[in-house]
Amino acid sequence: FVTSGFYSKDLILWKVFSSGPLGPWLWAAALAGAFLTSLYTFRLVFIVFFGPEKGHLTGQPGPWITVPLSILAVLSLIGGFVELPPFLGHVRLFSGLLETAVPAGAEGGEGHLALELATGAAAMAASLGGVAAAWLLFLKKPALAAAIRQRSGGLRDFLLAGWRFDALYDRLLI
């Protein structure tokens, strides 16, 4: 929880929550999205780094790969400290740029530190819940993931077919 991704997600979730009467509903949907993002990201991590070997590495990557990846790793770690929530020091180095895109008064929710802290804790719990679910489904008990995949045949087919938008497009417009 010290990377730029967590702080930006936390700020987005707080702004959505405090955006008006539909804010809590949109926040719940965004929180579910944060859970799913954590789930599929750590699915990748657990399968690639802890799963069975499917190939053999023949050599080490050269500087054309390691230098850009190292720069991106450092930036992803320190980039989160450009804008911190109030409960972590309230650093606002990036707010000037955001204020040009968000109209005045649209922010809302200022001065609700306890509520912002609660939404931040919920975001942290959703992220950790996604990691735990990925660990359980793809590392500890992969048979459980296979059983879920087997039982969700129609839904799985629907989602893999891109929600059938192509079929709808073909029927309506082609």
Side-chain angles (χ1 to χ4, degrees), residues 154-170:
L155 176 62
R156 184 172 184 267
D157 292 343
F158 175 73
L159 295 174
L160 286 175
W163 295 33
R164 304 260 188 244
F165 278 120
D166 288 341
L168 180 64
Y169 180 84
D170 285 343

Side-chain angles (χ1 to χ4, degrees), residues 106-121:
E107 265 185 47
E110 293 297 326
H112 295 97
L113 182 60
L115 189 55
E116 186 173 355
L117 187 59
T119 60

